[in-house]
Amino acid sequence: MDDYLRNSLSTMPLFAGLSEATLGRLSRVAFRRTYAPGMLILLEGAPCESVFFIVTGAVRVYRLSPQGRQQILATLGPGQGFNTAPPFLPEGRTPASVEAIGETTVLAIRQEDFVALARTCADFSWAILQDFAAHLLHLTDLVEDLALRSVRGRLARFLLEQADGAYVTRPWTQDEIAAHLGTVRDVVGRALRSLADAGLLRMERGRIVLLDREGLEAEAGA
Amino acid sequence: MMAGVLPQIDLMRCILCGRCVQACPTQAVEMLANGPTIVRPDACTYCTACEAICPVGAITCTFEIVWK
């Protein structure tokens, strides 16, 4: 048995509750893959072959509009899974493209092995349900953001989440922020300037410094 | 004098169009033999104009998001 696989699996919070027997089965079917920064891991619409769990690094999950505009659905980090839904659907296809942000190592499990584990190991099914629930709540928040908040409000919420370390935190370009917020770079630039003019943040060289939590929370809730 | 962080130019991706040189409001970027280079880092204000104008995404200006 591959000790690296077993150690990687047992240190993931998602799999912390698995029995030794389930961890053993999982480590026999999982395999390791490492992707260079910017490498495409999955392409939207492709047949689902494997599911993935991140060991180190981070990935960007996104969809592209016909005009080429990118909407980032999630930025995922160590311990989080992706492409876990299609195996439960008949002829399920990969729902979104996934790209490595930095060098990223994942554990992959072939679809048929993943389904077999989910059918026969209740503790594994429970862990996957928890992962599904987290994804569902995140996507619910995203729909609320896109449907009900202004770009300025979405930006304020995004900045608070990043500064508070709610998700994977890293330096961002304004294009990447725009892709997260479902808008374009120019609009993000204007929104940043307007928040700066209101005294809620300060733009520095390579840093967006948040100054007023109450003010930003009021913007985020607006 | 400006400190530290500068726009990152990926010369492997750059198509040598020179738009970043024209867009830079402080003439901090020049086109050298191997591609655009920030020859006057002290003049760079990190305004991100070069990143915005680059047609192939070869220039990145990243921002950390932090509390004061």
Side-chain angles (χ1 to χ4, degrees), chain A:
Chain A
M1 189 181 301
D2 186 330
D3 284 343
Y4 175 87
L5 288 178
R6 198 182 174 94
N7 290 339
S8 299
L9 288 164
S10 62
T11 55
M12 286 182 185
L14 180 63
F15 296 139
L18 296 191
S19 68
E20 281 297 312
T22 303
L23 268 179
R25 282 190 60 184
L26 195 49
S27 58
R28 279 192 289 277
V29 296
F31 52 99
R32 180 173 28 155
R33 281 181 176 167
T34 297
Y35 296 91
M39 190 179 278
L40 194 65
I41 301 173
L42 290 172
L43 184 64
E44 177 189 342
C48 172
E49 293 176 354
S50 300
V51 303
F52 301 84
F53 297 93
I54 302 168
V55 180
T56 58
V59 302
R60 171 187 302 129
V61 183
Y62 64 92
R63 278 199 171 180
L64 283 177
S65 75
Q67 292 75 33
R69 201 166 101 188
Q70 191 181 73
Q71 171 67 55
I72 295 179
L73 302 175
T75 302
L76 305 176
Q80 294 181 290
F82 56 92
N83 212 34
T84 49
F88 295 105
L89 301 168
E91 297 180 28
R93 290 184 172 268
T94 298
S97 298
V98 181
E99 180 183 298
I101 295 173
E103 183 170 288
T104 301
T105 297
V106 299
L107 294 182
I109 304 171
R110 286 188 186 83
Q111 174 180 235
E112 55 273 22
D113 294 327
F114 178 75
V115 171
L117 278 166
R119 280 183 184 279
T120 54
C121 302
D123 51 351
F124 182 75
S125 301
W126 180 250
I128 297 304
L129 270 178
Q130 288 179 306
D131 193 47
F132 272 24
H135 283 308
L136 184 60
L137 292 178
H138 170 75
L139 290 173
T140 306
D141 284 345
L142 182 63
V143 169
E144 182 195 10
D145 254 11
L146 294 175
L148 303 178
R149 285 196 175 86
S150 65
V151 170
R152 191 173 147 124
R154 276 182 256 163
L155 177 61
R157 182 183 160 103
F158 172 83
L159 295 171
L160 286 166
E161 287 173 351
Q162 290 302 312
D164 290 340
Y167 297 107
V168 178
T169 56
R170 62 187 180 87
W172 294 84
T173 67
Q174 291 185 34
D175 281 312
E176 290 171 331
I177 294 173
H180 247 274
L181 303 184
T183 185
V184 293
R185 177 200 172 87
D186 290 353
V187 176
V188 167
R190 281 199 294 275
L192 280 170
R193 280 193 294 277
S194 77
L195 291 174
D197 290 344
L200 303 182
L201 59 82
R202 185 172 66 229
M203 295 297 292
E204 290 184 356
R205 190 184 190 77
R207 298 203 316 164
I208 298 170
V209 183
L210 309 192
L211 304 174
D212 179 350
R213 180 181 287 278
E214 275 186 22
L216 285 166
E217 285 175 346
E219 290 285 347

Side-chain angles (χ1 to χ4, degrees), chain B residues 39-66:
Chain B
V39 292
R40 282 178 283 279
D42 291 354
C44 173
T45 61
Y46 211 75
C47 68
T48 77
C50 54
E51 181 192 45
I53 200 83
C54 179
V56 293
I59 303 179
T60 49
C61 300
T62 59
F63 292 86
E64 281 187 85
I65 300 166
V66 296

